[in-house]
Amino acid sequence: MTPAEKNWAGNITFGARRLGVPRSEAELRETVSASTAVHALGTRHSFNTVADTRGDLVSVAGLPSRVEIDREAGAVTVAAGLRFGEFADVLHENGYALHNLGSLPHISVAGACATGTHGSGVGNSSIAGAVRALDMVTADGRNVSLSRGDADFPGAVVAMGALGVVTALTLDVVPAFDVQQWVYEDLPESRLTGSFDEVMSAAYSVSVFTDWREGPLNQVWLKRRVGSDGPQRAPEEWLGARLADGPRHPIAGMPAENCTRQQGAAGPWHRRLPHFRLEFTPSNGDELQSEYFVARQDAPAAYEALGRLRERIAPLLQITEIRTVARDDLWLSPAGGRDSVAFHFTWMPDTAAVTPVLGAIEEALAPFGARPHWGKVFTTTPGTLRTLYGKYADFERLAARFDPEGKFRNDFLARHFLR
Protein backbone atom coordinates (compact mmCIF):
# COMPACT_ATOMS: atom_id res chain seq x y z
CA MET A 1 0.00 0.00 0.00
CA THR A 2 1.22 3.48 -0.82
CA PRO A 3 0.29 6.64 1.15
CA ALA A 4 -1.73 7.86 -1.85
CA GLU A 5 -4.22 4.98 -1.72
CA LYS A 6 -7.72 6.24 -1.02
CA ASN A 7 -11.25 5.04 -0.52
CA TRP A 8 -13.72 4.86 -3.40
CA ALA A 9 -14.91 8.46 -3.01
CA GLY A 10 -11.40 9.85 -2.57
CA ASN A 11 -12.13 11.70 0.68
CA ILE A 12 -10.11 9.29 2.87
CA THR A 13 -6.40 8.59 2.44
CA PHE A 14 -5.56 5.33 4.18
CA GLY A 15 -2.90 5.53 6.88
CA ALA A 16 -1.93 1.86 6.85
CA ARG A 17 1.67 0.74 6.44
CA ARG A 18 0.72 -1.90 3.89
CA LEU A 19 -2.16 -3.84 2.40
CA GLY A 20 -2.12 -7.62 2.40
CA VAL A 21 -4.27 -9.82 0.18
CA PRO A 22 -3.87 -13.33 1.60
CA ARG A 23 -4.71 -16.20 -0.74
CA SER A 24 -5.64 -18.71 1.96
CA GLU A 25 -7.06 -18.70 5.46
CA ALA A 26 -3.76 -20.08 6.73
CA GLU A 27 -1.97 -17.06 5.26
CA LEU A 28 -4.59 -14.75 6.77
CA ARG A 29 -4.14 -16.33 10.21
CA GLU A 30 -0.39 -15.87 9.97
CA THR A 31 -0.80 -12.22 8.95
CA VAL A 32 -3.17 -11.47 11.82
CA SER A 33 -1.05 -13.33 14.37
CA ALA A 34 2.14 -11.53 13.35
CA SER A 35 0.67 -8.02 13.28
CA THR A 36 0.34 -5.68 16.24
CA ALA A 37 -2.31 -3.59 14.46
CA VAL A 38 -4.51 -4.91 11.68
CA HIS A 39 -7.94 -4.24 10.20
CA ALA A 40 -10.10 -5.72 7.45
CA LEU A 41 -10.68 -3.70 4.28
CA GLY A 42 -13.65 -4.34 2.02
CA THR A 43 -14.43 -2.61 -1.26
CA ARG A 44 -13.55 0.87 0.08
CA HIS A 45 -17.10 2.20 -0.09
CA SER A 46 -17.01 3.71 3.40
CA PHE A 47 -16.76 7.48 3.64
CA ASN A 48 -14.98 7.67 6.99
CA THR A 49 -12.05 5.89 8.67
CA VAL A 50 -14.04 2.90 9.94
CA ALA A 51 -11.91 0.55 7.79
CA ASP A 52 -8.53 2.26 8.24
CA THR A 53 -5.62 1.42 10.53
CA ARG A 54 -2.14 2.67 11.34
CA GLY A 55 -0.95 -0.91 10.99
CA ASP A 56 -1.76 -3.51 8.33
CA LEU A 57 -4.88 -3.62 6.21
CA VAL A 58 -6.00 -7.03 4.99
CA SER A 59 -8.43 -7.73 2.19
CA VAL A 60 -10.23 -11.07 2.08
CA ALA A 61 -11.04 -10.58 -1.61
CA GLY A 62 -8.13 -12.89 -2.44
CA LEU A 63 -9.45 -15.85 -0.43
CA PRO A 64 -10.93 -18.74 -2.43
CA SER A 65 -14.37 -17.96 -3.82
CA ARG A 66 -17.10 -19.80 -1.93
CA VAL A 67 -20.83 -20.02 -2.61
CA GLU A 68 -22.38 -23.04 -0.87
CA ILE A 69 -26.16 -23.43 -0.90
CA ASP A 70 -27.80 -25.46 1.83
CA ARG A 71 -31.24 -26.25 0.42
CA GLU A 72 -32.45 -28.02 3.54
CA ALA A 73 -31.53 -25.09 5.80
CA GLY A 74 -32.58 -22.40 3.32
CA ALA A 75 -29.19 -20.69 3.52
CA VAL A 76 -26.10 -19.83 1.55
CA THR A 77 -22.53 -19.53 2.83
CA VAL A 78 -20.36 -17.10 0.88
CA ALA A 79 -16.79 -15.92 1.09
CA ALA A 80 -16.76 -12.59 2.91
CA GLY A 81 -14.88 -10.73 0.20
CA LEU A 82 -17.34 -11.49 -2.57
CA ARG A 83 -19.36 -8.61 -3.92
CA PHE A 84 -23.12 -9.11 -4.11
CA GLY A 85 -23.00 -8.82 -7.89
CA GLU A 86 -20.50 -11.67 -8.02
CA PHE A 87 -22.60 -14.35 -6.34
CA ALA A 88 -26.23 -13.29 -6.89
CA ASP A 89 -26.30 -14.97 -10.31
CA VAL A 90 -25.32 -18.30 -8.74
CA LEU A 91 -28.09 -17.98 -6.18
CA HIS A 92 -30.68 -17.10 -8.82
CA GLU A 93 -29.65 -19.93 -11.14
CA ASN A 94 -30.22 -22.32 -8.25
CA GLY A 95 -33.68 -20.92 -7.55
CA TYR A 96 -32.85 -18.70 -4.57
CA ALA A 97 -32.63 -15.03 -3.65
CA LEU A 98 -31.62 -12.76 -0.82
CA HIS A 99 -34.57 -10.93 0.72
CA ASN A 100 -32.94 -7.54 0.21
CA LEU A 101 -30.05 -5.83 -1.55
CA GLY A 102 -28.47 -2.42 -1.21
CA SER A 103 -28.36 0.18 -3.95
CA LEU A 104 -24.96 -1.04 -5.10
CA PRO A 105 -24.07 -4.60 -6.15
CA HIS A 106 -20.43 -3.44 -6.02
CA ILE A 107 -19.97 -3.81 -2.25
CA SER A 108 -18.68 -6.84 -0.38
CA VAL A 109 -21.01 -8.93 1.75
CA ALA A 110 -18.75 -8.59 4.81
CA GLY A 111 -18.42 -4.82 4.55
CA ALA A 112 -22.15 -4.35 4.06
CA CYS A 113 -23.05 -6.45 7.08
CA ALA A 114 -20.35 -4.98 9.30
CA THR A 115 -21.76 -1.46 8.90
CA GLY A 116 -25.51 -2.18 8.80
CA THR A 117 -25.97 -1.42 5.09
CA HIS A 118 -29.48 -2.03 3.73
CA GLY A 119 -31.94 -1.79 0.89
CA SER A 120 -35.56 -0.75 1.24
CA GLY A 121 -38.98 -2.12 2.08
CA VAL A 122 -41.31 -1.88 5.05
CA GLY A 123 -40.99 -5.64 5.53
CA ASN A 124 -37.31 -5.93 4.62
CA SER A 125 -34.58 -5.84 7.25
CA SER A 126 -31.04 -4.78 6.47
CA ILE A 127 -28.69 -7.22 4.77
CA ALA A 128 -27.15 -7.94 8.18
CA GLY A 129 -30.57 -9.11 9.35
CA ALA A 130 -30.23 -12.15 7.05
CA VAL A 131 -26.97 -13.32 8.64
CA ARG A 132 -27.38 -16.59 10.51
CA ALA A 133 -23.69 -17.44 11.04
CA LEU A 134 -20.22 -16.02 10.50
CA ASP A 135 -16.64 -17.25 10.55
CA MET A 136 -13.76 -14.98 11.50
CA VAL A 137 -10.08 -14.96 12.36
CA THR A 138 -9.56 -13.46 15.80
CA ALA A 139 -6.59 -11.57 17.25
CA ASP A 140 -4.68 -14.72 18.22
CA GLY A 141 -5.06 -16.21 14.72
CA ARG A 142 -7.81 -18.66 15.63
CA ASN A 143 -10.86 -19.42 13.54
CA VAL A 144 -14.07 -18.68 15.45
CA SER A 145 -17.62 -19.40 14.30
CA LEU A 146 -20.74 -17.77 15.72
CA SER A 147 -24.34 -18.65 14.89
CA ARG A 148 -27.77 -17.17 15.50
CA GLY A 149 -28.69 -18.16 19.05
CA ASP A 150 -25.15 -17.82 20.41
CA ALA A 151 -24.91 -15.18 23.14
CA ASP A 152 -22.23 -13.19 21.28
CA PHE A 153 -23.83 -13.40 17.86
CA PRO A 154 -26.04 -10.26 17.89
CA GLY A 155 -23.01 -8.17 18.82
CA ALA A 156 -20.74 -9.71 16.20
CA VAL A 157 -22.65 -9.08 12.96
CA VAL A 158 -22.59 -5.26 12.82
CA ALA A 159 -19.15 -4.96 14.44
CA MET A 160 -17.09 -2.77 12.08
CA GLY A 161 -14.15 -5.17 12.19
CA ALA A 162 -13.67 -4.77 15.94
CA LEU A 163 -13.78 -8.48 16.76
CA GLY A 164 -11.74 -9.99 13.95
CA VAL A 165 -11.47 -10.49 10.20
CA VAL A 166 -14.65 -12.12 8.89
CA THR A 167 -13.92 -14.80 6.28
CA ALA A 168 -17.40 -16.18 5.51
CA LEU A 169 -21.05 -15.44 6.24
CA THR A 170 -24.11 -17.66 6.10
CA LEU A 171 -27.25 -15.84 4.97
CA ASP A 172 -30.93 -16.78 4.92
CA VAL A 173 -32.28 -17.21 1.39
CA VAL A 174 -35.80 -17.18 -0.04
CA PRO A 175 -37.17 -18.58 -3.32
CA ALA A 176 -36.03 -16.57 -6.34
CA PHE A 177 -38.47 -13.94 -7.57
CA ASP A 178 -38.80 -11.35 -10.32
CA VAL A 179 -39.29 -7.63 -9.87
CA GLN A 180 -40.75 -4.84 -11.97
CA GLN A 181 -39.43 -1.32 -11.48
CA TRP A 182 -41.12 1.99 -12.26
CA VAL A 183 -40.11 5.58 -11.64
CA TYR A 184 -42.66 8.26 -10.84
CA GLU A 185 -41.87 11.96 -10.90
CA ASP A 186 -43.15 15.02 -9.04
CA LEU A 187 -44.88 13.41 -6.06
CA PRO A 188 -46.50 16.24 -4.10
CA GLU A 189 -44.64 16.76 -0.85
CA SER A 190 -47.92 16.76 1.05
CA ARG A 191 -48.56 13.20 -0.13
CA LEU A 192 -45.37 11.97 1.51
CA THR A 193 -45.90 13.79 4.80
CA GLY A 194 -49.63 13.12 4.94
CA SER A 195 -49.65 9.53 3.65
CA PHE A 196 -46.17 8.35 4.50
CA ASP A 197 -47.02 4.69 5.15
CA GLU A 198 -49.13 4.51 1.99
CA VAL A 199 -46.25 5.80 -0.12
CA MET A 200 -43.58 3.61 1.44
CA SER A 201 -45.78 0.49 1.40
CA ALA A 202 -46.71 0.84 -2.28
CA ALA A 203 -44.21 -1.80 -3.42
CA TYR A 204 -41.81 -4.46 -2.19
CA SER A 205 -39.07 -1.81 -2.18
CA VAL A 206 -39.66 1.96 -2.35
CA SER A 207 -37.16 4.80 -2.63
CA VAL A 208 -38.13 8.47 -2.55
CA PHE A 209 -35.64 10.97 -3.97
CA THR A 210 -35.59 14.70 -3.26
CA ASP A 211 -33.14 17.57 -3.75
CA TRP A 212 -34.91 19.56 -0.97
CA ARG A 213 -35.76 22.40 -3.30
CA GLU A 214 -39.24 23.88 -3.14
CA GLY A 215 -41.90 21.97 -5.03
CA PRO A 216 -42.74 18.31 -5.57
CA LEU A 217 -40.37 15.45 -4.84
CA ASN A 218 -38.04 14.51 -7.68
CA GLN A 219 -38.68 10.79 -8.05
CA VAL A 220 -40.19 7.71 -6.42
CA TRP A 221 -38.78 4.32 -7.42
CA LEU A 222 -41.26 1.47 -6.98
CA LYS A 223 -39.87 -2.06 -7.14
CA ARG A 224 -42.82 -4.46 -7.22
CA ARG A 225 -42.44 -8.18 -6.74
CA VAL A 226 -44.01 -10.15 -9.63
CA GLY A 227 -46.73 -12.40 -8.26
CA SER A 228 -48.43 -15.53 -9.55
CA ASP A 229 -50.57 -13.43 -11.87
CA GLY A 230 -47.49 -12.26 -13.74
CA PRO A 231 -46.20 -8.79 -14.66
CA GLN A 232 -48.53 -5.83 -14.20
CA ARG A 233 -49.05 -2.49 -15.93
CA ALA A 234 -48.48 0.70 -13.98
CA PRO A 235 -50.95 3.60 -13.97
CA GLU A 236 -49.84 6.82 -15.61
CA GLU A 237 -50.68 8.71 -12.42
CA TRP A 238 -50.11 7.60 -8.82
CA LEU A 239 -50.87 9.73 -5.75
CA GLY A 240 -50.46 12.84 -7.85
CA ALA A 241 -47.12 11.77 -9.36
CA ARG A 242 -46.72 10.93 -13.04
CA LEU A 243 -45.04 7.90 -14.57
CA ALA A 244 -41.63 8.72 -16.07
CA ASP A 245 -41.58 8.55 -19.87
CA GLY A 246 -38.16 6.93 -19.96
CA PRO A 247 -35.38 5.53 -17.76
CA ARG A 248 -34.03 7.81 -15.06
CA HIS A 249 -30.95 8.23 -12.87
CA PRO A 250 -31.59 9.51 -9.32
CA ILE A 251 -29.17 12.40 -9.89
CA ALA A 252 -30.14 14.87 -12.59
CA GLY A 253 -27.77 14.86 -15.53
CA MET A 254 -26.26 11.44 -14.81
CA PRO A 255 -26.69 8.70 -17.46
CA ALA A 256 -29.70 6.44 -16.90
CA GLU A 257 -27.91 3.49 -18.52
CA ASN A 258 -25.90 3.17 -15.29
CA CYS A 259 -29.13 2.14 -13.54
CA THR A 260 -31.08 -1.08 -13.42
CA ARG A 261 -33.93 -1.46 -15.93
CA GLN A 262 -37.11 0.45 -15.30
CA GLN A 263 -40.43 1.04 -17.10
CA GLY A 264 -41.92 -2.20 -15.82
CA ALA A 265 -39.53 -4.62 -17.53
CA ALA A 266 -39.66 -7.70 -15.30
CA GLY A 267 -36.32 -9.17 -14.30
CA PRO A 268 -34.57 -11.20 -11.61
CA TRP A 269 -34.45 -9.78 -8.09
CA HIS A 270 -30.71 -9.06 -8.27
CA ARG A 271 -31.09 -7.07 -11.50
CA ARG A 272 -33.81 -4.81 -10.11
CA LEU A 273 -33.45 -4.36 -6.32
CA PRO A 274 -30.13 -2.45 -6.66
CA HIS A 275 -30.40 0.96 -8.28
CA PHE A 276 -27.13 0.58 -10.18
CA ARG A 277 -25.68 -2.00 -12.53
CA LEU A 278 -22.47 -3.81 -11.59
CA GLU A 279 -20.73 -2.95 -14.86
CA PHE A 280 -21.10 0.82 -14.35
CA THR A 281 -19.87 3.35 -11.79
CA PRO A 282 -22.40 3.40 -8.97
CA SER A 283 -24.16 6.63 -8.06
CA ASN A 284 -21.95 9.58 -9.09
CA GLY A 285 -18.57 8.47 -7.73
CA ASP A 286 -17.41 12.01 -6.91
CA GLU A 287 -19.33 12.54 -3.68
CA LEU A 288 -19.68 12.31 0.09
CA GLN A 289 -22.47 10.36 1.76
CA SER A 290 -24.30 10.58 5.10
CA GLU A 291 -27.31 8.69 6.38
CA TYR A 292 -29.50 8.89 9.48
CA PHE A 293 -32.05 6.38 10.79
CA VAL A 294 -35.15 7.32 12.79
CA ALA A 295 -38.13 5.25 13.93
CA ARG A 296 -40.60 4.85 11.08
CA GLN A 297 -43.39 6.37 13.14
CA ASP A 298 -41.34 9.57 13.41
CA ALA A 299 -40.59 9.84 9.70
CA PRO A 300 -43.09 12.58 8.75
CA ALA A 301 -41.99 14.80 11.65
CA ALA A 302 -38.32 14.12 10.88
CA TYR A 303 -38.91 15.01 7.22
CA GLU A 304 -40.51 18.30 8.22
CA ALA A 305 -37.57 19.05 10.56
CA LEU A 306 -35.16 18.49 7.69
CA GLY A 307 -37.32 20.60 5.41
CA ARG A 308 -36.67 23.59 7.64
CA LEU A 309 -32.99 23.24 6.67
CA ARG A 310 -33.58 22.99 2.93
CA GLU A 311 -31.85 26.29 2.19
CA ARG A 312 -28.66 24.95 3.81
CA ILE A 313 -28.94 21.43 2.43
CA ALA A 314 -29.89 22.02 -1.20
CA PRO A 315 -26.81 23.98 -2.39
CA LEU A 316 -24.44 21.20 -1.25
CA LEU A 317 -26.60 18.24 -2.17
CA GLN A 318 -26.67 15.94 -5.17
CA ILE A 319 -29.70 13.96 -3.95
CA THR A 320 -31.41 12.60 -0.82
CA GLU A 321 -32.93 9.12 -0.78
CA ILE A 322 -35.58 8.09 1.77
CA ARG A 323 -36.05 4.36 2.45
CA THR A 324 -37.65 2.10 5.05
CA VAL A 325 -35.82 -0.67 6.92
CA ALA A 326 -37.52 -3.31 9.05
CA ARG A 327 -36.19 -3.83 12.57
CA ASP A 328 -33.62 -6.42 13.56
CA ASP A 329 -32.13 -7.46 16.90
CA LEU A 330 -28.44 -6.75 16.23
CA TRP A 331 -26.76 -4.65 18.91
CA LEU A 332 -25.25 -1.93 16.73
CA SER A 333 -27.55 -2.09 13.74
CA PRO A 334 -28.91 1.40 12.97
CA ALA A 335 -32.29 -0.32 12.55
CA GLY A 336 -31.86 -2.39 15.71
CA GLY A 337 -34.99 -2.65 17.83
CA ARG A 338 -37.21 -0.40 15.71
CA ASP A 339 -38.74 -0.27 12.24
CA SER A 340 -36.84 2.60 10.70
CA VAL A 341 -36.67 5.18 7.97
CA ALA A 342 -33.28 6.17 6.62
CA PHE A 343 -32.56 9.64 5.24
CA HIS A 344 -29.58 9.29 2.92
CA PHE A 345 -27.64 12.33 1.65
CA THR A 346 -25.34 12.25 -1.38
CA TRP A 347 -23.30 15.43 -1.08
CA MET A 348 -20.99 17.41 -3.27
CA PRO A 349 -17.37 16.42 -2.48
CA ASP A 350 -16.69 19.38 -0.18
CA THR A 351 -16.00 18.18 3.37
CA ALA A 352 -15.41 21.65 4.81
CA ALA A 353 -18.77 22.93 3.56
CA VAL A 354 -20.75 19.76 4.33
CA THR A 355 -19.54 19.24 7.92
CA PRO A 356 -21.39 22.17 9.55
CA VAL A 357 -24.57 21.20 7.71
CA LEU A 358 -24.26 17.70 9.18
CA GLY A 359 -24.20 19.29 12.62
CA ALA A 360 -27.42 21.16 11.83
CA ILE A 361 -29.07 17.99 10.50
CA GLU A 362 -28.06 16.03 13.59
CA GLU A 363 -29.44 18.75 15.84
CA ALA A 364 -32.72 18.78 13.92
CA LEU A 365 -33.03 15.00 14.13
CA ALA A 366 -31.89 14.70 17.75
CA PRO A 367 -35.47 14.58 19.13
CA PHE A 368 -36.02 11.44 17.06
CA GLY A 369 -32.94 9.57 18.28
CA ALA A 370 -31.32 9.59 14.83
CA ARG A 371 -28.59 6.99 14.39
CA PRO A 372 -25.92 7.61 11.73
CA HIS A 373 -24.78 4.95 9.31
CA TRP A 374 -21.46 3.63 10.62
CA GLY A 375 -19.74 3.79 7.24
CA LYS A 376 -20.71 7.30 6.22
CA VAL A 377 -19.82 10.85 7.25
CA PHE A 378 -21.29 12.08 10.53
CA THR A 379 -20.39 14.29 13.49
CA THR A 380 -22.58 12.68 16.16
CA THR A 381 -20.54 12.49 19.36
CA PRO A 382 -19.61 9.20 21.06
CA GLY A 383 -21.57 10.33 24.11
CA THR A 384 -24.70 10.77 22.05
CA LEU A 385 -24.20 7.46 20.23
CA ARG A 386 -24.00 5.72 23.59
CA THR A 387 -27.52 6.87 24.42
CA LEU A 388 -28.92 5.59 21.12
CA TYR A 389 -28.04 1.91 21.55
CA GLY A 390 -29.11 -0.15 24.54
CA LYS A 391 -26.28 -2.65 24.03
CA TYR A 392 -23.47 -0.13 23.46
CA ALA A 393 -21.60 -1.04 26.66
CA ASP A 394 -22.18 -4.74 25.99
CA PHE A 395 -20.48 -4.32 22.63
CA GLU A 396 -17.52 -2.57 24.24
CA ARG A 397 -17.10 -5.51 26.62
CA LEU A 398 -17.47 -7.97 23.75
CA ALA A 399 -14.76 -6.21 21.73
CA ALA A 400 -12.42 -6.12 24.74
CA ARG A 401 -12.93 -9.85 25.30
CA PHE A 402 -12.32 -10.83 21.68
CA ASP A 403 -9.43 -8.39 21.22
CA PRO A 404 -7.88 -7.68 24.64
CA GLU A 405 -4.73 -6.09 23.20
CA GLY A 406 -6.61 -3.86 20.77
CA LYS A 407 -5.11 -5.33 17.63
CA PHE A 408 -8.19 -4.48 15.54
CA ARG A 409 -8.82 -1.19 17.31
CA ASN A 410 -8.29 1.67 14.87
CA ASP A 411 -8.75 5.42 15.41
CA PHE A 412 -12.45 5.24 14.52
CA LEU A 413 -13.18 2.51 17.06
CA ALA A 414 -11.01 4.14 19.72
CA ARG A 415 -12.92 7.40 19.32
CA HIS A 416 -16.36 5.83 19.58
CA PHE A 417 -15.94 2.90 21.96
CA LEU A 418 -14.29 2.74 25.38
CA ARG A 419 -12.07 -0.13 26.48
Side-chain angles (χ1 to χ4, degrees):
M1 169 167 275
T2 65
E5 290 206 46
K6 295 178 179 290
N7 66 337
W8 170 74
N11 68 305
I12 298 294
T13 300
F14 291 105
R17 296 177 301 224
R18 52 187 169 262
L19 170 65
V21 188
R23 300 297 171 180
S24 68
E25 287 200 27
E27 185 181 346
L28 172 61
R29 291 195 299 271
E30 291 174 5
T31 299
V32 172
S33 296
S35 181
T36 57
V38 63
H39 204 84
L41 178 67
T43 48
R44 309 186 190 206
H45 277 83
S46 292
F47 293 79
N48 58 36
T49 57
V50 65
D52 199 10
T53 179
R54 297 174 188 267
D56 299 321
L57 283 171
V58 290
S59 168
V60 293
L63 296 182
S65 180
R66 181 183 177 191
V67 183
E68 300 171 1
I69 298 172
D70 185 334
R71 295 181 181 275
E72 184 174 341
V76 62
T77 299
V78 298
L82 284 178
R83 299 183 299 169
F84 287 95
E86 294 172 332
F87 72 87
D89 275 328
V90 177
L91 263 186
H92 186 74
E93 289 165 2
N94 281 274
Y96 291 100
L98 299 178
H99 78 294
N100 203 358
L101 286 173
S103 298
L104 312 181
H106 309 70
I107 57 178
S108 69
V109 61
C113 292
T115 55
T117 297
H118 60 95
S120 186
V122 294
N124 300 328
S125 66
S126 70
I127 298 165
V131 176
R132 65 163 58 184
L134 59 84
D135 300 329
M136 63 181 166
V137 173
T138 54
D140 56 5
R142 291 185 301 119
N143 281 330
V144 171
S145 297
L146 294 172
S147 299
R148 193 180 288 156
D150 293 341
D152 294 334
F153 176 80
V157 180
V158 181
M160 294 161 279
L163 309 187
V165 180
V166 175
T167 58
L169 295 112
T170 301
L171 307 170
D172 295 326
V173 295
V174 298
F177 56 94
D178 284 349
V179 173
Q180 293 176 274
Q181 178 171 228
W182 292 276
V183 175
Y184 282 86
E185 297 179 308
D186 295 336
L187 179 75
E189 194 173 52
S190 60
R191 283 288 197 174
L192 181 67
T193 56
S195 307
F196 187 86
D197 285 339
E198 182 181 2
V199 171
M200 303 309 290
S201 301
Y204 184 79
S205 173
V206 176
S207 292
V208 175
F209 292 94
T210 179
D211 58 11
W212 292 106
R213 299 186 186 279
E214 295 289 349
L217 300 163
N218 300 51
Q219 299 173 1
V220 182
W221 289 36
L222 301 179
K223 300 171 189 276
R224 291 178 178 156
R225 186 166 173 162
V226 176
S228 58
D229 51 352
Q232 303 294 309
R233 291 179 60 85
E236 292 294 321
E237 187 273 342
W238 169 74
L239 296 182
R242 68 178 187 279
L243 189 65
D245 59 5
R248 297 291 190 266
H249 191 288
I251 300 174
M254 292 295 293
E257 58 263 30
N258 293 14
C259 300
T260 50
R261 284 195 66 186
Q262 302 157 25
Q263 298 181 285
W269 56 279
H270 61 295
R271 303 290 176 86
R272 297 294 183 273
L273 292 181
H275 296 332
F276 303 102
R277 297 165 61 185
L278 182 64
E279 59 267 34
F280 288 98
T281 299
S283 190
N284 186 0
D286 193 10
E287 63 198 53
L288 299 174
Q289 292 184 10
S290 300
E291 187 169 33
Y292 299 94
F293 296 68
V294 304
R296 197 170 95 199
Q297 65 192 32
D298 292 330
Y303 180 90
E304 291 176 353
L306 290 170
R308 290 191 283 273
L309 297 173
R310 66 178 73 237
E311 291 184 359
R312 296 189 64 182
I313 293 172
L316 297 171
L317 187 73
Q318 298 191 50
I319 202 69
T320 281
E321 181 179 9
I322 305 169
R323 292 178 286 177
T324 54
V325 191
R327 62 170 292 164
D328 58 53
D329 296 317
L330 305 174
W331 290 358
L332 292 186
S333 168
R338 64 187 191 188
D339 292 330
S340 299
V341 168
F343 293 90
H344 183 281
F345 300 85
T346 299
W347 301 104
M348 300 296 182
D350 187 340
T351 301
V354 168
T355 299
V357 179
L358 294 182
I361 288 172
E362 290 162 2
E363 182 178 357
L365 294 180
F368 312 108
R371 299 166 176 168
H373 189 295
W374 292 110
K376 302 186 189 295
V377 182
F378 62 90
T379 64
T380 310
T381 66
T384 297
L385 287 171
R386 182 175 297 277
T387 68
L388 300 176
Y389 292 91
K391 293 287 188 177
Y392 207 84
D394 296 88
F395 178 79
E396 290 172 326
R397 287 188 286 269
L398 180 67
R401 177 156 52 85
F402 268 77
D403 184 21
E405 302 300 321
K407 182 175 290 191
F408 300 116
R409 192 171 170 81
N410 59 14
D411 290 347
F412 180 93
L413 293 170
R415 183 167 65 253
H416 293 97
F417 300 97
L418 302 176
R419 294 299 293 170

